[in-house]
Amino acid sequence: MALKVAVAGGGVGGMAVAIALQNQGHAVTIFEQARAYGRIGADVNLTPNAVHALDHLGLGGALRRTAARPEFRISRMWDSGDVTSKLPMSAAAEKKYGAPQLTIHRADLLDALQAALKPDTLRFGARVSGVRQDETGATLQFEDGSDFNADLVIGADGIHSAVRHALYGADAPKFTGLVSYRGTFPRDAAPDLPNLDSFTKWWGPVPELQIVTFPLNQGREIFVFATTGQKDWTEEGWTLPGDIEELRAIYKDFHPEARALLSACTNVTRSALHVRAPMARWSEGRVVLLGDAAHPMVPFMAQGACMASEDAIVLARAVEGVGFDALPEALERYAQARIPRTTRVQEGSLANDWLKKGGNADWVYGYDAWRGLEAQAA
């Protein structure tokens, strides 16, 4: 049975689930509040579990045309520079997990996803205000007073999800006490630095301090991410210009190679890191949550977009071949297959100690979303 599906949110998870459902023959419309996609943001780290999921949607070639393939995932200590763990990625990850790690500009990832959608799937400038449902289906409601009737509504509308709010009531995200800084620089601005072809995390003397770096745009640019502690966040807006000199001063005692990464950045943006507690339920009737709407997490395991990509595949598989009347059970099956895994990743990300001194990456990188319903959580 072909379903009429409305997706709130045109990010990675929203577009990925739309592609998967369209491949099954369903009629899907995505409602995105932005008026257009620009070259916003900087980075998405797609680890092998996400690349494997997206490859099987037919996106592999488009992703690889612009992405970089880190050679290793490296942990280094802030003061000595000692390497405490080093995982082979690239070809080694492809052989072990069926896909490499790809690091890609967010705009390039969104372009690849959008190109795989059927024409007129994506509607910009549509700000969702809520959702209602009855025995005939579910209806997305918009701030301009209009609405859209569907058999199935998917809330992929991020940490401030209006769909989540409609299902479970208001609950403000919690500020973690951390502020993140993001910047990029041309590779040739620091040609003598080692490991620019790898994903490298510099672990600080306290959990609040860390620097992560990896290549973008087939290695022509280097992305830098750093965090600092802050007692509260009172500024208007979530992403603001940052002070690169202030950031360099905070990291003045780090290893010279770590400091050189910040020296190569000419400007940075800053944003607060917020979380929500893991949820026990993601679906009610014919309305379901996906991605950050269901499980927002801090980026310390680099799994935000990856978990959304996995969600998209598992949700599409859950509703495959399912009629309208059986949708509630199918959505519950999807949620219960995903909640244990995403909860573990949420908690691991917040703890911020994964792979600091080695450890097992297989439970994250080796997950096959296309078999997620059968295997449940790893």
Side-chain angles (χ1 to χ4, degrees):
M1 172 186 174
L3 298 170
K4 183 180 179 183
V5 183
V7 179
V12 175
M15 285 200 279
V17 75
I19 295 165
L21 291 171
Q22 287 181 340
N23 289 347
Q24 295 174 5
H26 302 297
V28 185
T29 305
I30 302 173
F31 298 92
E32 165 58 38
Q33 67 178 4
R35 296 198 174 277
Y37 292 136
R39 195 119 184 122
I40 56 171
D43 71 290
V44 177
N45 180 12
L46 297 174
T47 51
N49 46 309
V51 177
H52 183 271
L54 297 174
D55 277 352
H56 287 266
L57 286 181
L59 296 169
L63 297 179
R64 286 161 176 77
R65 278 194 289 274
T66 59
R69 290 172 54 126
E71 291 294 324
F72 295 94
R73 188 201 187 282
I74 303 171
S75 289
R76 300 185 68 179
M77 295 308 297
W78 68 279
D79 49 356
S80 65
D82 289 348
V83 174
T84 57
S85 71
K86 187 175 183 179
L87 297 179
M89 300 302 290
S90 194
E94 192 152 19
K95 181 178 180 181
K96 185 173 185 178
Y97 303 119
Q101 178 185 19
L102 297 177
T103 49
I104 188 169
H105 196 290
R106 177 177 172 81
D108 293 330
L109 175 56
L110 294 180
D111 284 347
L113 289 161
Q114 188 175 356
L117 294 169
K118 291 184 177 180
D120 301 320
T121 298
L122 193 55
R123 299 188 186 180
F124 288 106
R127 187 177 291 273
V128 174
S129 60
V131 63
R132 66 177 187 270
Q133 61 179 315
D134 56 28
E135 67 279 358
T136 66
T139 301
L140 264 184
Q141 301 168 298
F142 302 96
E143 287 190 353
D144 65 3
S146 63
D147 56 29
F148 185 90
N149 298 320
D151 299 317
L152 166 63
V153 166
I154 300 171
D157 47 344
I159 191 170
H160 294 295
S161 171
V163 176
R164 173 180 174 142
H165 187 170
L167 291 183
Y168 300 112
D171 61 333
K174 178 183 177 181
F175 176 52
T176 61
L178 296 173
V179 174
S180 66
Y181 291 77
R182 292 172 169 86
T184 60
F185 63 85
R187 182 192 180 93
D188 57 14
D192 298 328
L193 279 177
N195 305 316
L196 292 182
D197 289 322
S198 294
F199 177 106
T200 303
K201 181 167 182 174
W202 292 84
W203 297 83
V206 292
E208 293 80 12
L209 296 179
Q210 62 208 308
I211 299 174
V212 173
T213 182
F214 52 78
L216 290 175
N217 298 329
Q218 297 188 329
R220 292 187 292 271
E221 289 183 300
I222 306 300
F223 171 74
V224 178
F225 170 91
T227 59
T228 64
Q230 183 171 312
K231 290 185 178 180
D232 53 23
W233 181 266
T234 58
E235 290 92 340
E236 290 289 332
W238 286 63
T239 300
L240 300 167
D243 185 333
I244 185 61
E245 294 298 338
E246 180 181 353
L247 185 64
R248 290 169 182 165
I250 291 170
Y251 283 89
K252 62 182 176 58
D253 295 327
F254 269 56
H255 190 275
E257 290 175 10
R259 298 201 311 271
L261 294 165
L262 299 181
S263 294
C265 293
T266 57
N267 55 74
V268 289
T269 61
R270 64 188 175 98
S271 57
L273 297 181
H274 290 75
V275 294
R276 294 182 187 271
M279 299 175 65
R281 293 189 58 80
W282 292 1
S283 70
E284 301 295 335
R286 295 175 179 84
V287 182
V288 67
L289 303 176
L290 178 153
D292 282 353
H295 48 71
M297 58 189 68
V298 289
F300 303 147
M301 287 176 66
Q303 289 300 305
C306 300
M307 291 297 106
S309 300
E310 291 182 3
D311 289 350
I313 303 309
V314 178
L315 177 53
R317 288 212 55 232
V319 304
E320 187 172 11
V322 169
F324 175 82
D325 291 339
L327 272 177
E329 292 77 15
L331 300 182
E332 180 65 18
R333 186 180 177 212
Y334 146 76
Q336 293 311 310
R338 294 295 298 154
I339 286 173
R341 175 169 170 82
T342 58
T343 297
R344 185 179 179 187
V345 174
Q346 278 182 286
E347 293 172 346
S349 296
L350 192 59
N352 191 25
D353 58 5
W354 187 61
L355 300 181
K356 182 176 183 179
K357 296 183 178 179
N360 179 20
D362 292 355
W363 72 272
V364 178
Y365 296 165
Y367 179 87
D368 183 352
W370 293 90
R371 300 178 63 185
L373 284 174
E374 293 81 3
Q376 296 293 306

